[in-house]
Amino acid sequence: MNKKSIATIIYAALAFIAVVCMVPRFSYNDPDTFWHIELGGYMVEHGMVLHHAIHTFYGDQLPYIPHEFGFQNPDCAIV
């Protein structure tokens, strides 16, 4: 096996474990779950870390502190 296939297997295993560990009683009850997925997809699509809020009731240019972007980017890849 080469390094790329080993990395792919490790990534797939970690993604599988993350999905299995998301107990629906806790993870799907969070109203922000799909917002995090949307933000991660936006960041991946535009190739940047967000510093303004999107898809909010108050407008799309509110200041945003990207404290969860490390979770949101891989999260959008899982879904």
Side-chain angles (χ1 to χ4, degrees):
M1 283 192 181
N2 60 16
K3 289 183 180 183
K4 188 174 183 178
S5 63
I6 292 172
T8 303
I9 291 170
I10 291 172
Y11 178 74
L14 289 174
F16 177 77
I17 290 169
V19 170
V20 169
C21 288
M22 286 200 289
V23 179
R25 179 177 50 174
F26 302 116
S27 62
Y28 300 137
N29 195 23
D30 180 10
D32 290 341
T33 300
F34 296 103
W35 187 67
H36 292 301
I37 294 169
E38 176 68 22
L39 289 180
Y42 183 92
M43 286 188 270
V44 169
E45 183 179 319
H46 291 90
M48 63 180 223
V49 175
L50 286 175
H51 293 284
H52 63 279
I54 61 170
H55 308 308
T56 65
F57 292 111
Y58 301 106
D60 287 350
Q61 296 300 320
L62 292 174
Y64 175 73
I65 299 172
H67 64 283
E68 295 175 332
F69 78 93
F71 167 75
Q72 292 165 342
N73 288 339
D75 193 28
C76 78
I78 291 172
V79 177

